[in-house]
Every structure is written in C-alpha cells, then in structure tokens.
Amino acid sequence: MEILMIFTSGIIIAVATYLFMTRSLLRVAFGVVMLSHGVHLLILTLSGLETGAPPLLTENAEAYTDPLPQAVILTAIVISFGVTAFLLVLAYRTYKEHGTEDLEELRGNADE
Amino acid sequence: MKTNFLMLHTITRIVSFIVLSFSVYLFFAGHNAPGGGFIGGLMMAGALILLYVTFDAERINRVLPFDYTAIIAIGLLLAIVTGLNSYLFGDPFLTQYFEYYQIPFVGEVELTTALPFDLGILLVVVAVALLTIISIAEDVS
Amino acid sequence: MSLLHFVVLAPFVMAIFLPFLYYKFRSIHTGWFLLPLPLILFIYVATYIPFGGGGMEAVEHTVQWVPSLGINFTVYLDGLSMLFALLITGIGTLVVLYSIFYIANKPDEPLNNFYVYLLMFMGAMLGVVLSDNLIVLYVFWELTSLSSSLLIAYWFHKEKSRYGAQKSMLITVSGGFAMLAGFALLYIIAGNTFSIQEIISQADAIVQDPLILPAMLLILLGAFTKSAQFPFHIWLPDAMEAPTPVSAYLHSATMVKAGIYLVARLTPVFGLTAEWFWILVIFGLTTLLWGSISAVRQTDLKGILAFSTVSQLGLIMALLGMGAAALHYDFIETETMYYTATMAAVFHLINHATFKGALFMAVGIIDHETGTRDVKRLGGLMAIMPVTFTVSLVGLAAMAGLPPFNGFLSKEMFFTATLNVASLDIFNLETLGVFIPIVAWIASVFTFVYSMMMFTRTFTGEFKPENYEKEVHEAPAGLLISPIILGSLVILFGLFPNLLGYTLIEPAMQAILPGITPVGEQFYVNIYHWHGINTELLMTVAVVLFGLAIALNLKKWAEAAFFQRERDPLNRAYDFGLDQLVVQSQNVTNFHMTGRLRDYMLYMSVFIVGLGMYTFFRYNSLDINLEGQGGIPGYAILVIGGLIASTLVLPFVHKRITNLVLLGVIGFLVALLFVIFRAPDLALTQLLVETVMVVLFLLVFRHMPEITKEKKAPLTTTVKALVSGAVGIFVILTGLSVHALRAESDITPISDFFIENSVPLAGGYNMVNVILVDFRGLDTLLEVLVLGIAALGIVTLIKHRLKGDEDV
C-alpha cells in the first residue's frame, strides 16, 4: 500500500511541476492545488499506513493511526486553501490590469 | 427576463439551515469527535456561500450585516487572548485548561479554554472564505 | 537592568516619543525637548569620574540576552568607555543646543526625522562604547553607520546628500561586516566567549594563535572604514553634505572615533604583535599625511575640516599603534617614554573633540550667516563677525599646534612619542623608525598651512558684499553659545592640562594599557608647557617657519595642477567600482532572471533534484525495499487508479472547465483516500475546502478568458516533461528510502505521547483536534494568522487599487 501511495504522490507532484511551467496563470494555480495534494498524501504515507483505528479515543481500540501527521496535514490543507485563493485573486487582478493571463506576455524587464 | 429560481430558493432555505446547524454541531463536537474550528468554519462558510449564491448579495447583507475583515481581527484576538490567559496562572503561552461541571438538566459538561480558542479559528476561517468570495463577486469593474 | 543600561537605552526610548512631541507642540522647536537628555546623561556619567584621583574601578552589569550563544547585553564602564561616553553626551548636549538655532523650525522642515536619527545615533554610539559583548557592540556599531547615513541624507532632495549617504553607508557597513567576521574569529580563538574583558584576560594565549592575524586584519578593516583611515577616508568629505551640527557631532567628535575606540579597546589583545604596531603606524601616518595635504587643496571650509579630521584621526591611530609598543616592556621602569604615545592619543582625542567641534560650529555659523562656505568668495569677516572670529582663531591655533592652546600640548607629545618610538629596539625600529618623526613633521607643516589658509582666506582680506546673497552680520547669541563653550575648553585645557590628568586621561590609559600601574601604586599624568629647549620644541618652531613660508607663497602655487584637483583621486576608484558593481550585477541578473516563471521553476526543480541525488550518492542513502506489501483492498485500488488517471489527464486538457471538473474529482478522491487511511478530520476538511475552492474558481472564471493554448514548441515541452518527470522520480525515490528506513530501523513515533496524554492533559478524545488546539496551539494560531494575511492581501488587491495609470 505504501509503495503504491508513494508512486501516486510522485506522479501527482510531477504533474504539478509540469503545470507550474505552463504559460497560463490559471494552470499554475491548478499546479499549486495539485502540489499540495501530492505533498499531503506523501506525508500521510510516510508516517505509515498501518491500519489502526481512527485517532479518536472514544473508539477504545488497541491501536490508533498516527494523529500527528493528520494534524499537520489539516493545517496544510487550510493554508494551501488560503494560498490558492490568494493566487487566484492575483491571477484575476493581473488579468484585469494587463488584459492577459499569459505568463509569456506578462514578462517584464529587469530594468523596468 | 427574470428567471424564476423558486425551487432553488425553497431548497436553499431549508438546506442552509440544516448545514448551519450541522456546522455548529461539528464545531462543538470537535474536541471529542471529528470536527472542530476548521471543519465547522468551512462548513459554515459553505452554508453562507450557498445563501449568497442563491439570493442576491443585498438581501444577505441585510440579514447578515457583518464586516468580515473585522471578524478576522476578532477571531485572531480571541485566539490570542485565550492563549494569554494562561499567563495569569504562570503557565506558558497557549496552555489550555479544562474542567468538568455538573449543570442541572444537562448533566456533566466539559468546559475547556480550547473552545474559545477554536471559536477564534472558526471565525477567521469563515471570514476568510467569505471575504475572498464576496470580494471577487462584488468586483464588477 | 542597571542605570548604565538605561544610559544606552534612554535615547532610543526618547526617540519613540519625540515625534509625538513634534506634532503636538509644533510651535516649539523640537530640539528643546531633547536637550535635557544628553545633559542628564552627561552628568550621570560624570559622577563616575574619580575626582579624588587613584584611578577608577570598572563597573559591570549584565542583562542576559541570548545566553545560549554567549550574547549578553553587558555594560562595562571603565576609563576608556567613560571618556567616550562623556564626549558623546557632552558634545551631544552642545550640538543639540547649537542645532536648535541652526535648523530653523520651518513648517516644512522634518525636525522630527532629524532628532530621531540623532537620538538613534546617540544611543547606538553609547552602546558601542559601553558594551562589553562583541556582538552587541557590532549591532550598535552598524546602527551608528545607519543613523549617520540617514543624517547625511537629511536634506535628501539634494543629489550630493544622497551620494554621500550611500557612500558612507557602503564603506562603513562593509567594513563593519568584515569586523563581524573578525569578531567571530576572535570568538573561536578565545574559546567561545564574546566578552571583551574575558578575551583581554587571556591575551597572552591569544597572541600565539595562528588565526590572530586574519582576525586582527578584519577587525582593523572595520575600525579603519569607520575612522576614515586611508584609503577608506573618501566617505568623510562627502559626508559633509549633512547639516553642520551633524558634521560637528558625528563626523568629527564621536562616530569617526568609534574606530579609535575599538583599536584602543583591543590594544591589550593584539598589542603584543608586531603587525598591530606596523599596520596602525603605517596606515595612521599615511592618513595623517594624505589628509593634511588634501586639506590644503580644498576650497570648501567644511571640506578643509573634513580632510583635517581625516588627518587628525590618522594621527591618533598612529599614536595608539606606537603606544602598543609599551606592552612589550614591563612597567617597572617609570620612564615615561613608553607610554607617552598612548597618553598623547587620549589627550589629543579630547583636544580634537574640543577644537574641531568649535571650528565646525564656527564654519556652520559662517555658512548660516553668509550663505557660502567657499573660501574664494569669503574674506574680511574679522570685523563683521568678531565672536565667530575669536572662536575660530582659538580653534585654528589649537589645530595648528600653537601655544598656549591644548593642541600645542598634544602635538608636542606627539613629537615626543615619535622620537621615543624611533629609538626603541623592537620591530625593526632601529632601521625604519627614523621615518616616523619625519612623516609626522611633514604632516604637521601641512596642518599648519591649512589652518593658516582657513584663517587668512576667511577672516582677513577685503570684505566684498557682492559675493553674498544676504546681508552678513554676526550670528544670534544662541548659535554662539556652544562654540564659545568649546573654545573656552580649548583654552582651559591648554592652560591647565592637568585638570584632565587623573580625571580622564589616567583612567583611560589604565584601560588601554592594563598593568600600567602596579597594584597599589598610582600613575601620574603630568603635562606641562615648557620642557626646555629640546628636539620637540625645535620641530614645532620649524613647523611654524616652514608653514608660514608655504602659506604666504600659496598664491604662487594656486595655478599648479596639484591645486586644481580638489577631489580626492581615490574617489575615481570608488565611483568606478560602484558603477561596475551595478552594471555587472545587472548583467548577471539579466542573464538568469528571464521574467519567465517557467525558467525559475526549472532552476528550482533542477537544483532540488540535483542536490537530492547528490545526497543520495554521497551518503549512500538510497535504499529501496519493495517487500512486505500486504494485500491492497480492491476499493483502494479503484480510488488510487482513478486518482492517477485523472492526474495524468490534467496536463493534456486545455479547457478550463474540464480542468476544474478534473481538479474536483481529484480533490474528492483524495478525500476518499483520507477516509480509507482512517483520517476522518482530514476527509471532512478536504471535502469542504474542495467545495469552497470550486466556487472560488468558478467566480474567477467568470471574469477571465479561456486558457491560452500553448504554442507548440516540442523542445520546451520535452524539457518540461523531462524535468517534471525527474522531480517525480526524485520524490518517489525519497519516499521509498524513507519507507525502507522506517521498516528497517525500529523508530517509535512520537505520537504515542499524544495518544497517552490527550485525555489526561487536554480532556479531549479527538486527538487531531487536541493537537491542533492544545499541544500545537501556537502553530494553529500562526496558521490562522497566515489565513488572515492572505485574506487581507486579497481585499487589498481588489478593493484598494492604485488610481489612474499607475502600474500595479
């Protein structure tokens, strides 16, 4: 299971990297979403997927899954939501100001 | 031509209420079951967004006359103040306390300082989600 | 916290409140609010003066700052610190008083800026001289550079001010940076301590260390840039664009002496090495000579004073170097010859502060009242400005080294010191030492010449009213108070030099040359005018004769090419260097900063993969273990398969709504995976975030166009695919290695703590939530802070945009 999941996150992150390198600002935003998915899954996987009970002590189980990575990922999900929202608005405003969302056309000169 | 959204309006009225109540439940359940500030907040934001999508913004603003920017500040302050409160007892910043109380008719209730902290988080999450979406939606220029 | 800490901190505290006073009482000149502070500090520090004689006990107080790194805010007050603290606060009081009349309280004059910078400087400078910790000293040191630069650029609408400010900043801060490296070396050599006193206490061992030379050179670089030693002196003349009170305060009396202070402070550490002696003497004498010769060429009064300051700083630096030779002899011999140099350095430090301060203020008055500082236009002011004339005369005579003023005494001592050193038998002085008095003498001649020049061309000659834009008259009384006080001190110290003997000079010398007085014995400073007819006196007479001869014939030389080049030739090197720095860094930037996000991502990805791969092979950490896979349930395979499939389709879809649908599918599949992996909180959060995100994307779509189609460029597409593939493979390899490591070594997760303590410590059963709100509450708090900042950014982007055509 872990091996499979590692490969899955690898593929997701590769696709995210690809999307980052495209010309459309919107697709870059998609890339950010994908990257966070990939990283979240990777963190969860690397902490071990031994099947214990969900980390709720009311379950009275013998073993629980590791709660710490879950807490970390929960934080990460919310943060990546904030970042994505900001990036989207940035893309939107850029388009409003410059009439394009093509990164190639948005290129500035360093001397400007 | 004015499109009639009767179905949507009717369903939204019922559904948003249910979702709102559920979000409140999730928030309070958070300490002991899945839920908490983030999830409750996102759920609440979802319900409110549903309202905004269905009805026009003017009407919603009449019912919910909140300044979401201020709510972010209030949420943050609430979280910080609950954290500072532990200084009163000489503990490090953000030490949380809890105690079980017997309340008539309700039975044993657990009161924690984590709850107002979580409430602060909920407020920020709700306000951020709504502020983002409303800002874009209202930007007509 | 002791009172001494407050001496350092008080100016900073005052700086916080000053702007409020400025805006609240706009009709009162802000300087008046400030004036009591340096005065009180001066009086407080003065209480430490050992009026009864017998040396002084050092005072030390420590406040812990970063004890784990050995960085503590320790104030240490001994004779040397006290001398400097008195200079800073004393001259500070006079300068503030002077500035009140110098800078008029006009409505558009940002007095609050001026005084806040001045306070910042005062506090920082006090911090430099009172700190015992090298790192704290460094922080204050750079703060003085910063405030000096801000003060030079006070009239920032003038281009020359900005140029001067930038120059002083670049030179002093880069020197300071080298000094920090030197301090770090010293820290290592001295066995992990930043405390100057502790370092001094092991000076004997430190001198043996091979790292001593680099440490010394780096620290001296800092001291030389700060104290305007050749060839770093070029910033000081350009710093004269600052308002004159600033020039008088920072650029002659205090800040430029920080380097002197540092050298004096560290003399016990480095003084035993021959390099210390020679570097200080050679650089000091070169600066002395160069400065005095350059000063003769200047036509701006402040320019003359600036180069004069440069040369006098060189003199003090050289004296400190010579004084260090005394450390080679034990002090049983009571002969004064070994410590005359140090005594002269300390004495001249005080004298220079008094006469140069008075001269700067007098020049400021001339500038203020006539509107020019150009000696070609000035002349004949003797009768019109009698008070200014008198003060200047006293100051100039002291500067030229004429009796009975204090400058004469220190110059005599300087000659004595050079002659003494030339007769020492260490450091090859037998052969080379003879040059020292000669250079000193030549420099003194030029010092006399420029002093004469300032006097004759400003005050004597014919008064030409048409040269001035305003009516010339004597300055108001307020402006004259400070220079008169300083001028009186010049005379007072000249006539009664022994007033300073055991009060200031002796304690300072104890700090520079520890062990100068054997325990229980007292060290007497006795300075007097008449030594009988000896070499020094003859040298002075020769200086006066030669100086007069040159000064009187100056007109004949005025056409010489030497006099036409007013600007220091070293400036060309600086300007060229600065231009090249800009041009070259622009070239480098233009080369790799293409403005394409794609390229930046490419750099980062390639670098990360390269670094990771290097680590794998360097530490042989690549470890793949595909064993031990339990059965994977069918539904999991379905979910993961769907996830991989929709991910792989994503780059090939160019319709944004399809993209969004795919993204939604992926999000929900990830949420499902969270369910499978027993993370209910995560699944809920993921679902809700996905919902909100879809609304957000749709909203943005309404305003934005369809995704532009990539122009087909097979090569770049291949490169992109290759690089992202490499990133993917790198992530997979890392993941596999971590997984294998987990399987092989028996690592217990730290989360057992949370499982055990969730209920007893936090009273919650949902461990994820308990971690979020309780155990790791600070993370969560900062996280919502990030969210809040993001939201504020969004609101700013949308609602508060710039008006008009401004580029966003």
Side-chain angles (χ1 to χ4, degrees):
Chain A
M1 190 64 126
E2 278 91 347
I3 308 276
L4 183 60
M5 282 309 297
I6 288 169
F7 274 94
T8 314
S9 348
I11 291 168
I12 296 179
I13 290 174
V15 169
T17 317
Y18 184 86
L19 287 175
F20 276 140
M21 289 190 274
T22 52
R23 289 171 60 165
S24 161
L25 206 46
L26 267 183
R27 296 185 98 196
V28 173
F30 292 146
V32 172
V33 178
M34 290 307 290
L35 187 67
S36 40
H37 281 327
V39 172
H40 298 161
L41 286 178
L42 194 63
I43 296 176
L44 195 66
T45 310
L46 291 184
S47 73
L49 296 173
E50 298 102 314
T51 38
L56 301 169
L57 290 168
T58 39
E59 299 276 306
N60 282 324
E62 288 288 308
Y64 297 97
T65 41
D66 197 339
L68 190 59
Q70 297 194 11
V72 172
I73 295 169
L74 204 148
T75 314
I77 292 177
V78 180
I79 293 255
S80 71
F81 163 68
V83 171
T84 317
F86 184 77
L87 191 61
L88 271 177
V89 174
L90 196 63
Y92 158 68
R93 283 294 306 157
T94 313
Y95 174 70
K96 283 274 155 176
E97 285 298 324
H98 299 284
T100 177
E101 55 109 41
D102 186 342
L103 285 169
E104 200 67 25
E105 286 171 29
L106 284 170
R107 263 179 79 187
N109 194 326
D111 299 332
E112 258 178 338
Chain B
M1 190 190 83
K2 193 168 163 40
T3 333
N4 195 339
F5 286 125
L6 184 64
M7 286 283 276
L8 185 63
H9 284 188
T10 318
I11 293 174
T12 302
R13 280 195 188 115
I14 302 162
V15 168
S16 65
F17 179 72
I18 296 172
V19 177
L20 273 177
S21 341
F22 188 54
S23 72
V24 174
Y25 163 75
L26 276 179
F27 167 67
F28 281 107
H31 218 48
N32 297 320
F38 285 118
I39 295 169
L42 283 166
M43 185 72 98
M44 193 176 282
L48 294 176
I49 289 168
L50 183 61
L51 284 176
Y52 273 100
V53 171
T54 313
F55 303 100
D56 53 317
E58 266 174 48
R59 209 189 301 182
I60 307 292
N61 285 344
R62 259 207 316 277
V63 185
L64 305 168
F66 298 125
D67 177 2
Y68 292 109
T69 326
I71 291 183
I72 294 181
I74 294 169
L76 277 175
L77 275 178
L78 191 61
I80 292 169
V81 168
T82 24
L84 287 178
N85 137 56
S86 54
Y87 279 129
L88 292 180
F89 304 99
D91 287 323
F93 184 51
L94 276 173
T95 310
Q96 310 284 18
Y97 306 94
F98 65 99
E99 197 58 68
Y100 296 92
Y101 295 97
Q102 291 293 336
I103 294 180
F105 308 114
V106 184
E108 195 184 59
V109 170
E110 183 194 7
L111 290 179
T112 66
T113 54
L115 199 68
F117 181 78
D118 226 7
L119 181 64
I121 292 166
L122 176 127
L123 287 177
V124 176
V125 171
V126 173
V128 167
L130 284 174
L131 191 63
T132 312
I133 284 176
I134 293 169
S135 310
I136 303 180
E138 283 178 349
D139 188 42
V140 279
S141 66
Chain C
M1 288 291 240
S2 64
L3 271 175
L4 274 175
H5 283 100
F6 284 110
V7 169
V8 177
L9 295 178
F12 292 108
V13 176
M14 180 93 188
I16 295 173
F17 293 107
L18 204 69
F20 297 109
L21 293 170
Y22 169 77
Y23 286 112
K24 186 85 187 153
F25 306 100
R26 200 59 194 78
S27 55
I28 308 173
H29 197 289
T30 317
W32 290 116
F33 299 115
L34 183 66
L35 191 58
L37 181 75
L39 191 63
I40 292 168
L41 294 182
F42 179 80
I43 294 168
Y44 174 70
V45 177
T47 56
Y48 284 94
I49 298 178
F51 285 110
M56 78 177 278
E57 290 284 310
V59 188
E60 188 179 333
H61 298 284
T62 302
V63 170
Q64 306 263 308
W65 187 17
V66 195
S68 54
L69 296 176
I71 300 172
N72 295 314
F73 186 12
T74 304
V75 286
Y76 182 85
L77 186 86
D78 61 359
L80 187 63
S81 314
M82 183 180 72
L83 172 62
F84 272 90
L86 286 173
L87 275 183
I88 295 161
T89 50
I91 307 273
T93 312
L94 297 176
V95 161
V96 170
L97 179 67
Y98 178 78
S99 71
I100 293 172
F101 297 95
Y102 188 82
I103 304 179
N105 189 14
K106 281 179 282 194
D108 56 344
E109 193 73 61
L111 284 172
N112 51 340
N113 291 358
F114 180 78
Y115 285 112
V116 166
Y117 300 157
L118 203 70
L119 278 171
M120 190 165 111
F121 167 75
M122 198 183 287
M125 192 66 206
L126 284 169
V128 168
V129 300
L130 290 176
S131 303
D132 179 53
N133 192 286
L134 287 174
I135 295 297
V136 179
L137 188 149
Y138 169 76
V139 171
F140 283 123
W141 180 281
E142 296 290 41
L143 258 181
T144 61
S145 298
L146 180 68
S147 47
S148 149
S149 178
L150 285 169
L151 281 167
I152 296 169
Y154 172 63
W155 284 314
F156 53 81
H157 47 84
K158 290 198 289 186
E159 213 222 314
K160 283 179 90 177
S161 299
R162 298 198 301 271
Y163 173 80
Q166 188 200 32
K167 199 175 194 176
S168 82
M169 185 81 171
L170 283 177
I171 294 180
T172 53
V173 168
S174 48
F177 208 56
M179 189 181 84
L180 179 63
F183 285 169
L185 283 178
L186 207 53
Y187 175 79
I188 298 167
I189 299 170
N192 302 347
T193 175
F194 280 121
S195 162
I196 298 173
Q197 292 310 315
E198 280 174 37
I199 291 172
I200 289 175
S201 68
Q202 15 175 328
D204 293 332
I206 288 173
V207 175
Q208 307 299 325
D209 198 287
L211 281 174
I212 184 91
L213 189 62
M216 182 206 297
L217 290 177
L218 287 168
I219 291 174
L220 280 182
L221 203 58
F224 282 179
T225 49
K226 197 79 165 181
S227 282
Q229 298 297 296
F230 182 87
F232 307 111
H233 65 276
I234 48 172
W235 68 266
L236 192 58
D238 284 308
M240 291 299 131
E241 291 301 322
T244 303
V246 174
S247 310
Y249 188 31
L250 273 72
H251 304 128
S252 91
T254 53
M255 189 189 87
V256 288
K257 297 211 173 99
I260 307 261
Y261 167 79
L262 192 70
V263 167
R265 177 55 86 206
L266 294 177
T267 296
V269 182
F270 296 114
L272 282 170
T273 57
E275 290 89 350
W276 181 260
F277 176 87
W278 278 116
I279 292 174
L280 286 181
V281 170
I282 290 173
F283 276 90
L285 287 180
T286 315
T287 312
L288 169 64
L289 193 60
W290 187 275
S292 59
I293 292 177
S294 302
V296 179
R297 317 201 292 195
Q298 303 301 309
T299 54
D300 180 354
L301 283 178
K302 273 177 95 174
I304 302 177
L305 286 182
F307 276 106
S308 146
T309 307
V310 168
S311 84
Q312 306 274 336
L313 289 169
L315 186 150
I316 301 175
M317 203 61 101
L319 280 172
L320 282 174
M322 296 177 209
L327 287 171
H328 287 266
Y329 302 91
D330 36 10
F331 300 101
I332 303 160
E333 307 157 75
T334 47
E335 285 181 60
T336 53
M337 64 182 285
Y338 301 122
Y339 51 77
T340 317
T342 312
M343 189 155 83
V346 176
F347 189 35
H348 195 68
L349 187 82
I350 305 169
N351 296 344
H352 180 251
T354 52
F355 68 71
K356 194 54 73 65
L359 281 175
F360 262 113
M361 289 177 182
V363 166
I365 290 173
I366 293 169
D367 188 15
H368 200 256
E369 299 305 321
T370 65
T372 181
R373 299 191 306 253
D374 191 344
V375 288
K376 289 184 211 141
R377 291 165 67 187
L378 290 166
L381 294 178
M382 193 194 293
I384 299 162
M385 304 170 89
V387 183
T388 314
F389 162 71
T390 315
V391 171
S392 305
L393 185 65
V394 170
L396 288 168
M399 187 156 78
L402 296 178
F405 304 109
N406 56 8
F408 167 73
L409 298 167
S410 43
K411 178 135 308 176
E412 289 283 279
M413 281 162 77
F414 170 54
F415 285 147
T416 315
T418 55
L419 292 170
N420 283 344
V421 163
S423 65
L424 289 184
D425 53 357
I426 45 170
F427 305 149
N428 298 329
L429 277 167
E430 304 89 339
T431 45
L432 300 168
V434 68
F435 291 107
I436 296 175
I438 295 176
V439 174
W441 184 80
I442 297 174
S444 300
V445 172
F446 281 101
T447 307
F448 185 85
V449 172
Y450 67 70
S451 303
M452 272 295 285
M453 207 176 84
M454 269 185 86
F455 173 72
T456 52
R457 301 191 68 173
T458 313
F459 293 107
T460 61
E462 199 185 336
F463 177 70
K464 300 195 188 92
E466 69 272 16
N467 277 354
Y468 309 103
E469 281 140 22
K470 45 177 141 181
E471 201 185 329
V472 181
H473 48 75
E474 181 59 281
L479 211 48
L480 290 167
I481 300 173
S482 300
I484 289 174
I485 293 176
L486 284 173
S488 320
L489 286 178
V490 171
I491 302 171
L492 188 70
F493 293 158
L495 294 177
F496 308 105
N498 291 322
L499 283 179
L500 298 171
Y502 57 82
T503 51
L504 290 178
I505 300 178
E506 186 190 319
M509 287 186 63
Q510 276 178 329
I512 301 171
L513 303 173
I516 194 166
T517 44
V519 185
E521 275 187 47
Q522 228 173 301
F523 164 74
Y524 291 106
V525 173
N526 197 7
I527 307 165
Y528 41 93
H529 282 263
W530 183 249
H531 299 259
I533 298 180
N534 53 10
T535 328
E536 293 90 317
L537 191 67
L538 292 177
M539 279 168 88
T540 304
V541 172
V543 163
V544 173
L545 291 178
F546 269 84
L548 271 176
I550 296 177
L552 292 177
N553 293 310
L554 210 57
K555 280 223 171 69
K556 291 179 194 161
W557 296 20
E559 297 303 314
F562 171 77
F563 272 102
Q564 301 302 315
R565 285 198 300 271
E566 194 180 338
R567 227 168 130 61
D568 200 305
L570 283 170
N571 277 313
R572 242 175 280 154
Y574 167 81
D575 290 337
F576 177 76
L578 193 63
D579 284 346
Q580 284 303 305
L581 190 71
V582 173
V583 170
Q584 295 304 334
S585 59
Q586 221 157 31
N587 287 345
V588 171
T589 310
N590 286 345
F591 174 69
H592 71 279
M593 296 304 252
T594 54
R596 285 193 199 94
L597 185 66
R598 184 195 336 143
D599 292 346
Y600 304 152
M601 282 311 297
L602 205 72
Y603 301 149
M604 282 193 259
S605 309
V606 169
F607 185 74
I608 291 171
V609 173
L611 194 67
M613 289 298 178
Y614 170 77
T615 317
F616 275 148
F617 292 109
R618 173 77 176 71
Y619 298 99
N620 200 18
S621 51
L622 192 60
D623 186 2
I624 296 173
N625 179 9
L626 296 174
E627 309 272 308
Q629 292 301 301
I632 302 169
Y635 55 88
I637 294 199
L638 213 61
V639 171
I640 295 173
L643 184 60
I644 294 178
S646 20
T647 307
L648 285 178
V649 172
L650 203 57
F652 301 101
V653 178
H654 288 281
K655 229 171 147 49
R656 60 183 189 182
I657 198 77
T658 326
N659 260 325
L660 185 60
V661 170
L662 272 174
L663 216 57
V665 168
I666 292 167
F668 286 119
L669 286 175
V670 169
L672 264 180
L673 276 179
F674 285 146
V675 173
I676 294 173
F677 298 141
R678 304 216 173 20
D681 285 277
L682 288 190
L684 266 172
T685 318
Q686 182 67 51
L687 275 175
L688 290 164
V689 162
E690 212 55 49
T691 315
V692 178
M693 201 96 91
V694 166
V695 178
L696 200 62
F697 268 104
L698 281 174
L699 264 176
V700 172
F701 283 179
R702 208 185 76 180
H703 295 279
M704 285 184 72
E706 185 56 64
I707 293 170
T708 37
K709 234 176 149 57
E710 307 272 321
K711 285 197 191 75
K712 287 290 168 208
L715 188 68
T716 51
T717 314
T718 321
V719 170
K720 279 191 272 184
L722 276 177
V723 169
S724 37
V727 171
I729 290 169
F730 170 64
V731 169
I732 291 170
L733 288 180
T734 316
L736 288 176
S737 303
V738 173
H739 180 62
L741 182 72
R742 256 177 60 84
E744 283 159 20
S745 51
D746 208 18
I747 301 170
T748 39
I750 53 172
S751 42
D752 287 344
F753 170 82
F754 300 113
I755 296 172
E756 276 158 27
N757 291 312
S758 192
V759 173
L761 284 183
Y765 290 88
N766 178 0
M767 284 183 273
V768 176
N769 187 265
V770 166
I771 292 174
L772 281 178
V773 298
D774 197 327
F775 292 125
R776 312 284 320 156
L778 191 62
D779 292 356
T780 312
L781 185 64
L782 294 178
E783 178 204 350
V784 288
L785 187 65
V786 171
L787 269 190
I789 292 169
L792 286 184
I794 290 168
V795 174
T796 319
L797 271 174
I798 290 188
K799 298 216 165 133
H800 304 274
R801 64 186 62 148
L802 295 170
K803 296 277 179 292
D805 297 332
E806 278 178 272
D807 198 65
V808 197

